[in-house]
Amino acid sequence: MKPLNDIGLLDRDKLLEIFDYLNQQLKENALELELTIYGGSIMTMVYDNRPATKDIDCVFSDSNDKLLNHILKNAQFVFDLSDGWINDEIREPLKSIIKEDLEAFKTYSNLSILKPRAEQLLAMKILAARPEPAKDFGDAFILCRDLGITTKAQLLAVISDYVPRTLLGERQINFIKYLGEDLGYDWQ
């Protein structure tokens, strides 16, 4: 297997191919699964902001863990995916989310894929506020434009719906200021 830092990038077509495969495997094993995707997967598949992502940030519904792990290992082999292609580390930041606001993205016979609404995703990007090479800044820029956010007050209102303002520290404040500047607004 390839090391994690050598993971192949997953473009929209490859992600859809993997989801088709997972659905077929679930169907063959009489298992239904709900998968909620976050981060780069959404930006690649929904907003077409990135040509690809390195992993699928996701959370699975309760299911037969042993069988699901077997199906995921098969997908890893079939698509030559590195360890870490499924990233459930998103569970930790989700603990800070006040509410989940999910909507259906794609429904197969045995696999349902959900995603957070754009507002929740934006709040999560602001909370993360990771420096480059993370893509949080570019993603937040796209989401603000897509949502028509032009003022700091609008942005803070969106954030407050999903993240306690007490979690906004210096890193997030600077991120918001630079975001406003790049969008052409004074969010000082």
Side-chain angles (χ1 to χ4, degrees):
M1 286 200 183
K2 297 175 268 187
L4 181 59
N5 61 359
D6 189 33
I7 195 166
L9 292 178
L10 305 170
D11 64 14
R12 187 178 200 286
D13 291 338
K14 182 130 185 192
L15 287 167
L16 289 172
E17 192 177 354
I18 291 168
F19 293 145
D20 285 337
Y21 178 83
L22 290 176
N23 181 64
Q24 186 58 40
Q25 292 294 303
L26 290 164
K27 188 174 183 178
E28 288 174 13
N29 288 282
L31 188 64
E32 291 189 8
L33 181 68
E34 191 174 84
L35 173 69
T36 305
I37 59 173
Y38 299 88
S41 304
I42 295 172
M43 298 310 293
T44 297
M45 296 185 69
V46 178
Y47 295 97
D48 203 23
N49 180 39
R50 303 181 186 183
T53 184
K54 65 180 174 76
D55 60 10
I56 301 172
D57 297 316
C58 63
V59 176
F60 296 98
S61 60
D62 292 331
S63 65
N64 180 332
D65 287 342
K66 188 174 180 180
L67 184 54
L68 177 59
N69 285 333
H70 178 72
I71 290 169
L72 294 174
K73 288 267 184 216
N74 284 349
Q76 182 178 7
F77 180 84
V78 168
F79 292 96
D80 194 27
L81 302 167
S82 297
D83 290 340
W85 74 278
I86 287 287
N87 181 4
D88 68 352
E89 291 175 7
I90 191 70
R91 288 183 188 277
E92 191 59 35
L94 283 175
K95 292 176 184 175
S96 299
I97 299 296
I98 296 170
K99 68 175 180 176
E100 278 264 68
D101 198 359
L102 304 176
E103 58 189 11
F105 170 67
K106 192 158 178 61
T107 304
Y108 298 86
S109 61
N110 292 63
L111 175 65
S112 295
I113 301 174
L114 304 176
K115 68 173 196 64
R117 292 176 46 94
E119 294 86 352
Q120 179 184 337
L121 186 57
L122 176 59
M124 293 174 72
K125 291 292 182 179
I126 300 292
L127 180 62
R130 296 169 293 189
E132 293 296 329
K135 307 290 187 208
D136 294 331
F137 193 83
D139 293 348
F141 181 92
I142 295 291
L143 290 164
C144 280
R145 278 200 349 224
D146 188 60
L147 292 167
I149 293 174
T150 59
T151 68
K152 181 175 75 173
Q154 288 173 315
L155 179 60
L156 290 174
V158 167
I159 294 168
S160 295
D161 283 345
Y162 299 96
V163 178
R165 284 194 188 192
T166 56
L167 295 180
L168 299 181
E170 188 172 340
R171 188 177 81 236
Q172 289 83 10
I173 291 167
N174 287 332
F175 186 94
I176 290 168
K177 287 178 181 177
Y178 289 125
L179 181 60
E181 186 177 304
D182 273 25
L183 287 165
Y185 307 114
D186 182 13
W187 289 356
Q188 298 299 319

